[in-house]
Amino acid sequence: KEEVRKVLGKLKSARLKESEVYQNVSIAPDRKAVERAVNGALRAKLREKIELEPGKVWRISGGSVVEDGTSLIVFGLQETTDCTDQESIKSLFTHLDEAPVVSKVKRIGKVGEQVRPVLVVLSTKEAVRNVLGKSARLKESEVFQTVIIKRDMT
């Protein structure tokens, strides 16, 4: 029981309610069951959207806090060994006459036969709006004709 109390001590620092943890624990919890439940509750808490400033909604993504609505998904951007994804994204934005501050660029999905989409996190919502507004120009491009840019809805 003492070990269970130590694990539950984590709740106070994370500001979790015991009910959030115990909904996933059996009737007679042991230390490992409580740890799993605490970790699950912490992960659920981190996935929640939080309001740090009035009018701005933030979320935790990959261990860092980012403003919600600043992510894009780029489909159809070929994976090459000639340049990095960051360079490809920079070239894409240059083609759109945009120079947003890019916080993160990451391929998502499993490596396979299909081209994986690219998750791009920009610094502001305004930069996302500007890029999305100009993304229709890509259809007229020879290089980026197959590229589609969408807002990240996750």
Side-chain angles (χ1 to χ4, degrees), residues 61-85:
S61 172
S64 59
V65 178
V66 295
E67 184 179 357
D68 198 31
T70 58
S71 302
L72 296 170
I73 303 290
V74 179
F75 297 94
L77 189 65
Q78 296 296 319
E79 297 182 53
T80 65
T81 55
D82 299 340
C83 62
T84 64
D85 290 332

Side-chain angles (χ1 to χ4, degrees), residues 73-108:
I73 303 290
V74 179
F75 297 94
L77 189 65
Q78 296 296 319
E79 297 182 53
T80 65
T81 55
D82 299 340
C83 62
T84 64
D85 290 332
Q86 287 84 356
E87 292 168 342
S88 297
I89 293 296
K90 185 176 180 180
S91 173
L92 174 68
F93 289 155
T94 302
H95 185 78
L96 295 174
D97 296 326
E98 285 293 321
V101 176
V102 178
S103 304
K104 179 181 177 180
V105 174
K106 178 184 174 184
R107 288 275 176 181
I108 52 177

Side-chain angles (χ1 to χ4, degrees), residues 6-149:
K6 286 180 184 177
V7 173
L8 289 175
K10 291 181 183 180
L11 297 177
K12 289 181 183 176
S13 62
R15 295 184 182 155
L16 292 173
K17 298 175 187 168
E18 285 189 38
S19 61
E20 291 177 285
V21 173
Y22 277 112
Q23 66 188 7
N24 297 323
V25 179
S26 62
I27 295 172
D30 62 349
R31 188 179 73 77
K32 290 211 183 265
V34 173
E35 272 185 1
R36 280 192 304 272
V38 167
N39 290 335
L42 287 172
R43 279 193 298 278
K45 200 72 159 175
L46 291 178
R47 282 191 296 264
E48 289 179 3
K49 294 180 180 181
I50 52 176
E51 191 168 327
L52 297 176
E53 297 176 30
K56 286 190 175 182
V57 179
W58 302 74
R59 64 184 165 80
I60 297 182
S61 172
S64 59
V65 178
V66 295
E67 184 179 357
D68 198 31
T70 58
S71 302
L72 296 170
I73 303 290
V74 179
F75 297 94
L77 189 65
Q78 296 296 319
E79 297 182 53
T80 65
T81 55
D82 299 340
C83 62
T84 64
D85 290 332
Q86 287 84 356
E87 292 168 342
S88 297
I89 293 296
K90 185 176 180 180
S91 173
L92 174 68
F93 289 155
T94 302
H95 185 78
L96 295 174
D97 296 326
E98 285 293 321
V101 176
V102 178
S103 304
K104 179 181 177 180
V105 174
K106 178 184 174 184
R107 288 275 176 181
I108 52 177
K110 294 181 181 178
V111 176
E113 295 177 16
Q114 296 181 341
V115 177
R116 296 182 297 159
V118 182
L119 171 67
V120 181
V121 180
L122 303 181
S123 60
T124 64
K125 286 182 179 182
E126 183 179 344
V128 170
R129 280 192 296 272
N130 292 341
V131 169
L132 288 172
K134 295 180 179 181
S135 65
R137 295 182 188 177
L138 296 174
K139 292 179 185 175
E140 302 162 3
S141 167
E142 291 180 20
V143 179
F144 298 111
Q145 189 173 16
T146 60
V147 175
I148 298 170
I149 303 174

